[in-house]
Every structure is written in C-alpha cells, then in structure tokens.
Amino acid sequence: MSEAKDTGSARTVVFAVDSFKGSIAADAAAAALAAGWSGVRPKDTLIHRPMADGGEGTVAGFAAAVPGATLMPVTVDGPEGVPVAAHWLLLPPTQDAPRGTGVVELAGTSGIELLGSPPRLRPFDADTRGFGQAIAAALDHGISRLVLGIGSSASTDAGVGMLAALGARILDADGAPVLPGARGLRDVAEVDVSTLAPLPPGGVRVLSDVTNPLTGPRGAAAVFGPQKGLGAADIPVVDASLARFAAIAGGDPDVPGAGAAGGTGFALRLWGGDLLAGAAEVAELIGLAAAVATAAVVITGEGSFDGQSADGKVPSRVQHLAAAAGVPAMLVAGRIAPDADTRAFAAAASLTDLAGSPEAAMADPARWLTRAGAILAASH
C-alpha cells in the first residue's frame, strides 16, 4: 500500500508513546512515527510528548518532553557490582520546585538491562545500591523534589541496597552490614532508618506500573522473581526473607506497589516516598493533557499491547486523556495480543503484522514505526 501525500488543512498531532521495551526508546519511537506521519501529511503540526510509566525510558521521556532538562552524569555501582556510567535528570525550576526536580530511573542504575542481552541474571546478588547512589547525587545537588521511576529492576533485595546508599543501617546479628541482594536479605537482624538522608522539601514521587504487595502469591518474589532468575524452590525462601525484613523494618508489606522493583517500593515508603501510578504521574508532569487539548488526533503505543495494558499502562492513560478532551486516539504496538481490546482506539497498527514477524519488527523498529505512522496518517 502506498500513502499519498495529503494536501488538506493542517492539524495538530500529539505523539505520546512509551518505549518499545528491548527495542527502541520512547523518544526515538515518537520520532519515527512522526516521520512517517509527516511524509503523508506534511502540513500538520507535530507535538512530541514521549511517555513512560516508571520503567526503562522514564528519564529519556522527561528529557524529550521538558524544555531545559539537563542530564547529570553519575557513576554508580551497577547490578553486577561494578561501576557503570549513569545519569539523573535535572528539570528546571518551577513554582512548586524552585531548585528544580531530580528524576532518577532505577532501570538506568540498577536495572536488568544493565546485565547484558541476554541478561547475566544474578537473582541472589544483584541489588539496588546504584539507584540509591544516583538518588544521593541528586539530593547533593540541592533539588527541591524527586521523581523516581522504579521499573525494570534486576534484583529482589527489598530496596536494601538503595536504603544503605542513602544512609540507612541494615545489619546482621553480628552488627555488620548485610551482604548485597537477596542473599543478604535473609540475614537482616536490625533496620535503622533514622540515619537516612532527609527527604527533599517537595517530597519524593515514586512512579510504578504495578500494584503488587511485597509478599505472598502476588508479591515481589512470586510474580517478578522468575524474571530475575529465581527458581521455583527459591521463591518461598526469598518471600520469607522479604516478610521478615518488613516485620523488622516496621512497614506495611500489603501497600499496593510495595512489591515493585523487587520490594524497592516498600523501601521507598519506609523513607517517606509516595507510591503513584507511573503513567498518570508522568502525564501530569509533562503537561500531556494540555497538549492533547490542542490536538486533532493523538498517537500512543508500547511494545506489547495485551489484556493487562488497560490497567494503568501508557496507552490506556493517553487514551483516557484523549477521550476526556474529545480527541480520537490511535494505537501502535510491537504486537497486539489476541486478548487485547483495541475498541477504544480510532485505529491500531501492529509492527509484527507490518514486518511479518516479531523478530523482523524488533530488528528494525524505526523502519516499521515510520511505516505505521504513514499508514495511520493516511487513514485519518
């Protein structure tokens, strides 16, 4: 199918897509879609608002969407226990955050992507210390507020590594710091959070796309542990360690989101952070609703659109904002699962269908996103 160039009146189009995990970042995905669209409708005004829900691409999404954002380099201890070059993002001052907002992403500091492809999983030894070190760097800069994305973790350490990097004392029965990761979690005998760094004046917003508790059949070990290398026999052992840690620390393991990022959500609650729905919070912070209100159409998407995508994921959030503004929304996904309901969207495109296979789509996502953008432009 060839898409003829449109000569009609100009319209405003907003591109608000998530990253296509393991394939292409949100800002690059938006750019590819926009290139395809503009090839068909060159007169249209295109607005880029890359999205995220707290996982991989959160920093990149904010950097692309917020004018004046500055990447701040930092070296941290990665999930393999060796230094990695990372960064956090400084958002410019606002009335609510006169000294700026720091955005720190767990995926870029302690994430599973840092373990290579395919990942060299370390289910008992990976930890979140690097994430805590990057948070500490942002605090040292003097920011007014923190926004923390906690998706894509490599560990199930209940955020102990992060807490230790922020000053907490987490000790074994001999009074020594516990070993990193889930391996050390089973030896925790004392948790002292009184020495934690103080919260910034504007508080800490924690972005996540999951509502799982810390423990139990929907907890961090049972649901997410296998992705990080825990075997069937390991799960009850780590789950018991998480429960014991919660009992010693004194927090509530059943708070929705406590199990996010291997229990890092629980740890951030101990510090005083607010657990929030990631996609909704990102949308608010980048002014997505205001952009959507100016649009004739909105394009959203993610790597895999399935039956779970309606539960707080980026496409559902963007579609709800578009519906509230009376603007049609279109969907692009790497794959659209058989159980997915796309009826809320004016049109939908699957890169897998366009490319002929998931492998072909992932091998050159920019090409197929550009093609999808052109097809959607021709259909509108």
Side-chain angles (χ1 to χ4, degrees):
M1 172 182 178
S2 104
E3 292 81 27
K5 288 193 175 180
D6 181 88
T7 57
S9 60
R11 298 174 180 178
T12 297
V13 185
V14 171
F15 295 86
V17 297
D18 198 354
S19 64
F20 285 51
K21 191 168 184 177
S23 176
I24 189 169
D27 53 342
L33 283 166
W37 187 283
S38 64
V40 175
R41 296 184 57 87
K43 296 179 183 179
D44 286 353
T45 298
L46 309 184
I47 298 176
H48 291 225
R49 288 292 185 271
M51 279 285 290
D53 54 21
E56 177 188 11
T58 297
V59 162
F62 276 108
V66 180
T70 304
L71 283 174
M72 309 293 285
V74 61
T75 299
V76 303
D77 296 326
E80 289 191 289
V82 298
V84 298
H87 49 255
W88 60 278
L89 186 71
L90 177 63
L91 302 184
T94 63
Q95 185 175 356
D96 293 336
R99 296 197 301 274
T101 295
V103 182
V104 189
E105 177 186 297
L106 187 149
T109 53
S110 301
I112 197 167
E113 291 83 4
L114 298 176
L115 296 178
S117 180
R120 300 173 291 274
L121 298 175
R122 306 179 75 227
F124 282 95
D125 299 299
D127 76 342
T128 51
R129 177 172 291 273
F131 184 45
Q133 291 169 334
I135 294 170
L139 292 173
D140 289 344
H141 191 81
I143 46 89
S144 296
R145 179 175 60 188
L146 274 171
V147 174
L148 306 178
I150 62 169
S152 305
S153 74
S155 62
T156 312
D157 76 335
V160 164
M162 178 205 68
L163 290 173
L166 291 172
R169 298 171 67 249
I170 302 168
L171 311 175
D172 63 19
D174 295 323
V178 298
L179 293 172
R183 189 177 306 282
L185 193 60
R186 62 192 176 188
D187 296 326
V188 173
E190 179 183 351
V191 178
D192 181 3
V193 295
S194 67
T195 52
L196 275 170
L199 298 173
V204 176
R205 301 183 182 187
V206 183
L207 312 183
S208 174
D209 66 347
V210 303
T211 58
N212 300 68
L214 180 65
T215 58
R218 294 187 59 250
V223 176
F224 306 112
Q227 302 167 9
K228 301 165 190 180
L230 290 181
D234 301 324
I235 290 172
V237 175
V238 176
D239 189 65
S241 295
L242 291 168
R244 185 164 166 272
F245 175 74
I248 295 170
D252 183 356
D254 295 324
V255 169
T264 304
F266 176 83
L268 286 166
R269 283 268 301 178
L270 286 179
W271 189 30
D274 296 317
L275 301 183
L276 304 166
E281 191 69 10
V282 171
E284 179 183 335
L285 288 166
I286 68 172
L288 182 59
V292 167
T294 70
V297 64
V298 179
I299 314 297
T300 187
E302 63 181 354
S304 178
F305 188 82
D306 55 30
Q308 303 298 314
S309 294
D311 188 19
K313 301 287 188 177
V314 164
S316 67
R317 182 60 188 166
V318 174
Q319 190 277 325
H320 289 157
L321 286 175
V327 177
M330 296 181 175
L331 172 72
V332 179
R335 64 180 286 272
I336 298 176
D339 66 339
D341 185 353
T342 62
R343 289 175 295 177
F345 297 94
S350 161
L351 303 191
T352 294
D353 290 347
L354 293 177
S357 72
E359 294 77 16
M362 292 188 71
D364 195 357
R367 172 189 176 187
W368 299 109
L369 283 161
T370 301
R371 174 69 169 157
I375 289 172
L376 292 180
S379 74
H380 183 58

Short mmCIF file of all heavy atoms in Angstrom, two decimals, residues 56 74-87 104-116 121-122 125-135 149-157 159-163 165 228 261-262 264:
data_model
loop_
_atom_site.label_atom_id
_atom_site.label_comp_id
_atom_site.label_asym_id
_atom_site.label_seq_id
_atom_site.Cartn_x
_atom_site.Cartn_y
_atom_site.Cartn_z
N GLU A 56 12.03 1.54 32.15
CA GLU A 56 13.04 1.95 31.18
C GLU A 56 12.49 3.08 30.30
O GLU A 56 11.39 3.01 29.80
CB GLU A 56 13.41 0.74 30.30
CG GLU A 56 14.40 1.02 29.21
CD GLU A 56 14.56 -0.16 28.26
OE1 GLU A 56 13.74 -1.10 28.36
OE2 GLU A 56 15.48 -0.14 27.45
N VAL A 74 26.61 10.50 36.45
CA VAL A 74 26.99 9.96 37.75
C VAL A 74 27.47 8.53 37.54
O VAL A 74 26.95 7.81 36.69
CB VAL A 74 25.80 10.00 38.75
CG1 VAL A 74 24.64 9.17 38.25
CG2 VAL A 74 26.23 9.58 40.13
N THR A 75 28.50 8.14 38.26
CA THR A 75 28.98 6.76 38.23
C THR A 75 28.48 6.03 39.47
O THR A 75 28.64 6.53 40.59
CB THR A 75 30.51 6.70 38.17
OG1 THR A 75 30.96 7.36 36.96
CG2 THR A 75 31.01 5.26 38.14
N VAL A 76 27.87 4.88 39.26
CA VAL A 76 27.27 4.14 40.38
C VAL A 76 27.71 2.68 40.31
O VAL A 76 28.25 2.21 39.31
CB VAL A 76 25.73 4.22 40.34
CG1 VAL A 76 25.26 5.67 40.38
CG2 VAL A 76 25.15 3.52 39.11
N ASP A 77 27.46 1.96 41.40
CA ASP A 77 27.71 0.51 41.43
C ASP A 77 26.51 -0.18 40.80
O ASP A 77 25.41 -0.18 41.36
CB ASP A 77 27.89 0.03 42.87
CG ASP A 77 29.11 0.63 43.53
OD1 ASP A 77 30.12 0.86 42.83
OD2 ASP A 77 29.07 0.89 44.75
N GLY A 78 26.72 -0.78 39.64
CA GLY A 78 25.63 -1.42 38.92
C GLY A 78 25.24 -2.76 39.51
O GLY A 78 25.82 -3.23 40.50
N PRO A 79 24.25 -3.42 38.91
CA PRO A 79 23.73 -4.68 39.48
C PRO A 79 24.70 -5.85 39.39
O PRO A 79 24.45 -6.89 40.00
CB PRO A 79 22.47 -4.94 38.64
CG PRO A 79 22.71 -4.21 37.35
CD PRO A 79 23.49 -2.99 37.72
N GLU A 80 25.80 -5.68 38.65
CA GLU A 80 26.83 -6.71 38.64
C GLU A 80 27.94 -6.41 39.64
O GLU A 80 28.95 -7.13 39.70
CB GLU A 80 27.42 -6.88 37.25
CG GLU A 80 26.45 -7.53 36.28
CD GLU A 80 27.10 -7.94 34.97
OE1 GLU A 80 27.45 -7.05 34.18
OE2 GLU A 80 27.25 -9.16 34.75
N GLY A 81 27.77 -5.33 40.43
CA GLY A 81 28.75 -5.00 41.44
C GLY A 81 29.95 -4.25 40.91
O GLY A 81 30.95 -4.10 41.62
N VAL A 82 29.87 -3.76 39.68
CA VAL A 82 30.96 -2.99 39.08
C VAL A 82 30.43 -1.62 38.69
O VAL A 82 29.22 -1.44 38.46
CB VAL A 82 31.56 -3.71 37.86
CG1 VAL A 82 32.15 -5.04 38.26
CG2 VAL A 82 30.50 -3.90 36.77
N PRO A 83 31.33 -0.61 38.62
CA PRO A 83 30.86 0.75 38.29
C PRO A 83 30.24 0.81 36.90
O PRO A 83 30.72 0.19 35.96
CB PRO A 83 32.14 1.59 38.36
CG PRO A 83 33.06 0.81 39.24
CD PRO A 83 32.76 -0.63 38.96
N VAL A 84 29.16 1.59 36.79
CA VAL A 84 28.54 1.86 35.50
C VAL A 84 28.31 3.36 35.37
O VAL A 84 28.06 4.05 36.36
CB VAL A 84 27.19 1.11 35.33
CG1 VAL A 84 27.39 -0.39 35.38
CG2 VAL A 84 26.19 1.54 36.37
N ALA A 85 28.44 3.85 34.16
CA ALA A 85 28.17 5.26 33.88
C ALA A 85 26.67 5.44 33.73
O ALA A 85 26.04 4.79 32.88
CB ALA A 85 28.90 5.69 32.62
N ALA A 86 26.10 6.28 34.55
CA ALA A 86 24.66 6.51 34.53
C ALA A 86 24.40 8.02 34.55
O ALA A 86 25.32 8.83 34.38
CB ALA A 86 23.99 5.82 35.72
N HIS A 87 23.17 8.39 34.76
CA HIS A 87 22.83 9.81 34.88
C HIS A 87 21.48 9.95 35.56
O HIS A 87 20.69 9.01 35.61
CB HIS A 87 22.80 10.49 33.50
CG HIS A 87 22.00 9.76 32.47
ND1 HIS A 87 22.57 9.04 31.45
CD2 HIS A 87 20.67 9.61 32.31
CE1 HIS A 87 21.63 8.48 30.71
NE2 HIS A 87 20.46 8.83 31.22
N VAL A 104 15.20 10.28 38.67
CA VAL A 104 16.16 9.17 38.73
C VAL A 104 15.43 7.89 38.34
O VAL A 104 14.33 7.62 38.83
CB VAL A 104 16.78 9.02 40.13
CG1 VAL A 104 17.92 8.00 40.09
CG2 VAL A 104 17.28 10.36 40.66
N GLU A 105 16.07 7.12 37.49
CA GLU A 105 15.46 5.91 36.94
C GLU A 105 16.22 4.69 37.44
O GLU A 105 17.44 4.57 37.22
CB GLU A 105 15.50 6.00 35.42
CG GLU A 105 14.98 4.82 34.65
CD GLU A 105 15.23 5.01 33.16
OE1 GLU A 105 14.68 5.96 32.57
OE2 GLU A 105 15.99 4.20 32.61
N LEU A 106 15.53 3.77 38.08
CA LEU A 106 16.17 2.54 38.54
C LEU A 106 16.71 1.73 37.37
O LEU A 106 17.79 1.12 37.47
CB LEU A 106 15.19 1.72 39.38
CG LEU A 106 15.75 0.49 40.09
CD1 LEU A 106 14.99 0.24 41.39
CD2 LEU A 106 15.68 -0.76 39.22
N ALA A 107 16.00 1.72 36.26
CA ALA A 107 16.42 0.91 35.11
C ALA A 107 17.82 1.28 34.64
O ALA A 107 18.59 0.41 34.21
CB ALA A 107 15.43 1.07 33.98
N GLY A 108 18.17 2.55 34.71
CA GLY A 108 19.47 3.00 34.22
C GLY A 108 20.59 2.90 35.23
O GLY A 108 21.75 3.20 34.89
N THR A 109 20.28 2.50 36.46
CA THR A 109 21.29 2.43 37.52
C THR A 109 21.40 1.04 38.14
O THR A 109 22.49 0.61 38.49
CB THR A 109 20.97 3.45 38.63
OG1 THR A 109 19.61 3.24 39.07
CG2 THR A 109 21.11 4.88 38.12
N SER A 110 20.27 0.37 38.29
CA SER A 110 20.23 -0.96 38.91
C SER A 110 19.33 -1.91 38.13
O SER A 110 18.82 -2.88 38.68
CB SER A 110 19.72 -0.86 40.36
OG SER A 110 20.54 -0.01 41.14
N GLY A 111 19.14 -1.63 36.85
CA GLY A 111 18.15 -2.36 36.07
C GLY A 111 18.66 -3.63 35.43
O GLY A 111 19.87 -3.83 35.23
N ILE A 112 17.72 -4.47 35.04
CA ILE A 112 18.06 -5.75 34.44
C ILE A 112 18.72 -5.58 33.08
O ILE A 112 19.53 -6.41 32.65
CB ILE A 112 16.81 -6.65 34.35
CG1 ILE A 112 17.19 -8.11 34.13
CG2 ILE A 112 15.85 -6.14 33.27
CD1 ILE A 112 16.04 -9.08 34.33
N GLU A 113 18.43 -4.46 32.38
CA GLU A 113 19.05 -4.22 31.09
C GLU A 113 20.57 -4.06 31.21
O GLU A 113 21.31 -4.29 30.24
CB GLU A 113 18.46 -2.95 30.45
CG GLU A 113 17.02 -3.10 29.99
CD GLU A 113 16.02 -2.88 31.11
OE1 GLU A 113 16.44 -2.55 32.25
OE2 GLU A 113 14.80 -3.05 30.86
N LEU A 114 21.05 -3.68 32.40
CA LEU A 114 22.48 -3.50 32.61
C LEU A 114 23.22 -4.82 32.77
O LEU A 114 24.45 -4.83 32.86
CB LEU A 114 22.72 -2.63 33.85
CG LEU A 114 22.15 -1.21 33.78
CD1 LEU A 114 22.36 -0.48 35.10
CD2 LEU A 114 22.80 -0.43 32.63
N LEU A 115 22.49 -5.92 32.79
CA LEU A 115 23.10 -7.24 32.90
C LEU A 115 23.37 -7.88 31.54
O LEU A 115 23.75 -9.04 31.45
CB LEU A 115 22.21 -8.18 33.72
CG LEU A 115 22.00 -7.80 35.19
CD1 LEU A 115 21.06 -8.77 35.87
CD2 LEU A 115 23.33 -7.73 35.93
N GLY A 116 23.20 -7.11 30.48
CA GLY A 116 23.50 -7.60 29.14
C GLY A 116 22.30 -8.20 28.45
O GLY A 116 21.19 -8.26 28.98
N LEU A 121 21.79 -13.06 34.62
CA LEU A 121 20.96 -12.88 35.81
C LEU A 121 21.73 -13.20 37.09
O LEU A 121 22.51 -14.16 37.15
CB LEU A 121 19.71 -13.77 35.71
CG LEU A 121 18.78 -13.46 34.54
CD1 LEU A 121 17.66 -14.47 34.47
CD2 LEU A 121 18.21 -12.04 34.65
N ARG A 122 21.48 -12.40 38.13
CA ARG A 122 22.11 -12.58 39.44
C ARG A 122 21.01 -12.52 40.50
O ARG A 122 20.88 -11.55 41.23
CB ARG A 122 23.16 -11.50 39.68
CG ARG A 122 24.21 -11.39 38.58
CD ARG A 122 25.21 -10.28 38.88
NE ARG A 122 26.15 -10.68 39.92
CZ ARG A 122 26.49 -9.93 40.96
NH1 ARG A 122 25.92 -8.74 41.14
NH2 ARG A 122 27.37 -10.35 41.86
N ASP A 125 22.33 -11.89 44.10
CA ASP A 125 23.43 -10.95 44.36
C ASP A 125 23.22 -9.55 43.78
O ASP A 125 23.85 -8.60 44.27
CB ASP A 125 24.73 -11.54 43.83
CG ASP A 125 25.08 -12.85 44.51
OD1 ASP A 125 25.26 -12.84 45.74
OD2 ASP A 125 25.12 -13.89 43.82
N ALA A 126 22.40 -9.40 42.75
CA ALA A 126 22.12 -8.06 42.24
C ALA A 126 21.39 -7.26 43.32
O ALA A 126 20.60 -7.81 44.08
CB ALA A 126 21.27 -8.15 40.97
N ASP A 127 21.66 -5.95 43.36
CA ASP A 127 20.97 -5.13 44.35
C ASP A 127 20.71 -3.73 43.79
O ASP A 127 20.96 -3.46 42.62
CB ASP A 127 21.76 -5.07 45.67
CG ASP A 127 22.97 -4.15 45.61
OD1 ASP A 127 23.42 -3.81 44.49
OD2 ASP A 127 23.48 -3.75 46.67
N THR A 128 20.19 -2.85 44.64
CA THR A 128 19.74 -1.52 44.21
C THR A 128 20.66 -0.40 44.71
O THR A 128 20.26 0.76 44.73
CB THR A 128 18.31 -1.26 44.72
OG1 THR A 128 18.26 -1.53 46.14
CG2 THR A 128 17.30 -2.13 44.00
N ARG A 129 21.90 -0.73 45.08
CA ARG A 129 22.79 0.30 45.61
C ARG A 129 23.01 1.43 44.59
O ARG A 129 23.03 2.61 44.95
CB ARG A 129 24.14 -0.31 46.00
CG ARG A 129 25.16 0.72 46.49
CD ARG A 129 26.40 0.06 47.04
NE ARG A 129 26.10 -0.64 48.28
CZ ARG A 129 26.13 -0.05 49.48
NH1 ARG A 129 26.41 1.24 49.60
NH2 ARG A 129 25.85 -0.75 50.56
N GLY A 130 23.19 1.09 43.33
CA GLY A 130 23.43 2.12 42.33
C GLY A 130 22.29 3.12 42.23
O GLY A 130 22.52 4.32 42.05
N PHE A 131 21.07 2.63 42.35
CA PHE A 131 19.91 3.52 42.34
C PHE A 131 20.00 4.51 43.50
O PHE A 131 19.80 5.71 43.33
CB PHE A 131 18.64 2.67 42.43
CG PHE A 131 17.34 3.42 42.34
CD1 PHE A 131 17.13 4.39 41.39
CD2 PHE A 131 16.31 3.11 43.22
CE1 PHE A 131 15.91 5.06 41.31
CE2 PHE A 131 15.09 3.76 43.15
CZ PHE A 131 14.89 4.75 42.20
N GLY A 132 20.32 3.99 44.69
CA GLY A 132 20.46 4.87 45.84
C GLY A 132 21.58 5.87 45.68
O GLY A 132 21.46 7.04 46.10
N GLN A 133 22.68 5.48 45.04
CA GLN A 133 23.79 6.40 44.82
C GLN A 133 23.38 7.53 43.88
O GLN A 133 23.78 8.69 44.09
CB GLN A 133 24.98 5.62 44.27
CG GLN A 133 25.61 4.68 45.28
CD GLN A 133 26.61 3.73 44.65
OE1 GLN A 133 26.52 3.40 43.45
NE2 GLN A 133 27.57 3.25 45.44
N ALA A 134 22.61 7.21 42.85
CA ALA A 134 22.15 8.27 41.95
C ALA A 134 21.17 9.21 42.65
O ALA A 134 21.19 10.42 42.43
CB ALA A 134 21.50 7.64 40.71
N ILE A 135 20.30 8.65 43.50
CA ILE A 135 19.39 9.50 44.29
C ILE A 135 20.19 10.42 45.19
O ILE A 135 19.90 11.63 45.32
CB ILE A 135 18.42 8.63 45.11
CG1 ILE A 135 17.49 7.84 44.21
CG2 ILE A 135 17.62 9.49 46.09
CD1 ILE A 135 16.67 6.78 44.92
N GLY A 149 11.58 6.64 39.06
CA GLY A 149 10.98 5.56 38.29
C GLY A 149 11.57 4.23 38.72
O GLY A 149 12.79 4.08 38.73
N ILE A 150 10.73 3.27 39.09
CA ILE A 150 11.27 2.04 39.69
C ILE A 150 10.93 0.77 38.91
O ILE A 150 10.88 -0.32 39.49
CB ILE A 150 10.87 1.91 41.17
CG1 ILE A 150 9.34 1.81 41.34
CG2 ILE A 150 11.43 3.06 41.98
CD1 ILE A 150 8.94 1.41 42.77
N GLY A 151 10.76 0.86 37.61
CA GLY A 151 10.55 -0.35 36.83
C GLY A 151 11.86 -0.98 36.39
O GLY A 151 12.94 -0.40 36.51
N SER A 152 11.77 -2.21 35.88
CA SER A 152 12.89 -2.91 35.22
C SER A 152 14.05 -3.24 36.15
O SER A 152 15.21 -3.20 35.74
CB SER A 152 13.40 -2.07 34.03
OG SER A 152 12.37 -1.77 33.14
N SER A 153 13.78 -3.61 37.38
CA SER A 153 14.86 -3.90 38.32
C SER A 153 15.48 -5.27 38.04
O SER A 153 14.85 -6.16 37.47
CB SER A 153 14.36 -3.85 39.77
OG SER A 153 13.58 -4.98 40.06
N ALA A 154 16.72 -5.43 38.51
CA ALA A 154 17.45 -6.69 38.34
C ALA A 154 17.44 -7.54 39.60
O ALA A 154 17.94 -8.67 39.58
CB ALA A 154 18.90 -6.39 37.95
N SER A 155 16.89 -7.03 40.69
CA SER A 155 17.08 -7.68 41.99
C SER A 155 15.77 -7.84 42.76
O SER A 155 14.75 -7.25 42.41
CB SER A 155 18.05 -6.86 42.84
OG SER A 155 17.54 -5.56 43.09
N THR A 156 15.86 -8.63 43.82
CA THR A 156 14.77 -8.78 44.79
C THR A 156 15.38 -8.55 46.16
O THR A 156 15.47 -9.46 46.98
CB THR A 156 14.11 -10.17 44.70
OG1 THR A 156 13.82 -10.47 43.32
CG2 THR A 156 12.81 -10.21 45.49
N ASP A 157 15.82 -7.32 46.41
CA ASP A 157 16.54 -7.03 47.66
C ASP A 157 15.75 -6.13 48.60
O ASP A 157 16.31 -5.61 49.57
CB ASP A 157 17.90 -6.40 47.35
CG ASP A 157 17.83 -4.93 46.94
OD1 ASP A 157 16.76 -4.51 46.43
OD2 ASP A 157 18.83 -4.22 47.12
N GLY A 159 14.91 -3.25 48.24
CA GLY A 159 15.46 -1.90 48.25
C GLY A 159 16.53 -1.67 49.29
O GLY A 159 16.90 -0.52 49.57
N VAL A 160 17.08 -2.75 49.87
CA VAL A 160 18.08 -2.61 50.92
C VAL A 160 19.33 -1.89 50.42
O VAL A 160 19.90 -1.03 51.10
CB VAL A 160 18.43 -4.00 51.50
CG1 VAL A 160 19.73 -3.94 52.32
CG2 VAL A 160 17.29 -4.49 52.39
N GLY A 161 19.78 -2.22 49.20
CA GLY A 161 20.95 -1.55 48.65
C GLY A 161 20.73 -0.06 48.52
O GLY A 161 21.61 0.75 48.85
N MET A 162 19.55 0.32 48.04
CA MET A 162 19.22 1.74 47.92
C MET A 162 19.20 2.42 49.28
O MET A 162 19.76 3.51 49.46
CB MET A 162 17.86 1.89 47.25
CG MET A 162 17.37 3.32 47.11
SD MET A 162 15.57 3.40 46.99
CE MET A 162 15.07 2.88 48.62
N LEU A 163 18.55 1.79 50.26
CA LEU A 163 18.46 2.38 51.60
C LEU A 163 19.86 2.57 52.20
O LEU A 163 20.14 3.60 52.81
CB LEU A 163 17.61 1.50 52.51
CG LEU A 163 16.11 1.46 52.21
CD1 LEU A 163 15.43 0.42 53.09
CD2 LEU A 163 15.47 2.84 52.43
N ALA A 165 22.66 3.02 50.59
CA ALA A 165 23.34 4.12 49.90
C ALA A 165 22.83 5.48 50.37
O ALA A 165 23.55 6.48 50.28
CB ALA A 165 23.15 3.97 48.39
N LYS A 228 13.98 -12.55 37.18
CA LYS A 228 15.31 -12.17 37.64
C LYS A 228 16.17 -13.38 37.99
O LYS A 228 17.27 -13.23 38.52
CB LYS A 228 15.16 -11.23 38.85
CG LYS A 228 14.36 -9.99 38.51
CD LYS A 228 13.89 -9.25 39.73
CE LYS A 228 12.90 -8.16 39.31
NZ LYS A 228 12.41 -7.40 40.46
N ALA A 261 9.67 -3.43 41.76
CA ALA A 261 11.14 -3.42 41.68
C ALA A 261 11.77 -4.25 42.78
O ALA A 261 12.69 -3.81 43.46
CB ALA A 261 11.66 -1.99 41.70
N GLY A 262 11.26 -5.46 42.97
CA GLY A 262 11.85 -6.37 43.95
C GLY A 262 11.74 -5.88 45.38
O GLY A 262 12.54 -6.24 46.23
N THR A 264 11.54 -2.54 46.16
CA THR A 264 12.03 -1.16 46.28
C THR A 264 10.89 -0.20 46.60
O THR A 264 11.09 0.81 47.28
CB THR A 264 12.76 -0.74 45.00
OG1 THR A 264 13.80 -1.68 44.73
CG2 THR A 264 13.36 0.65 45.13
#
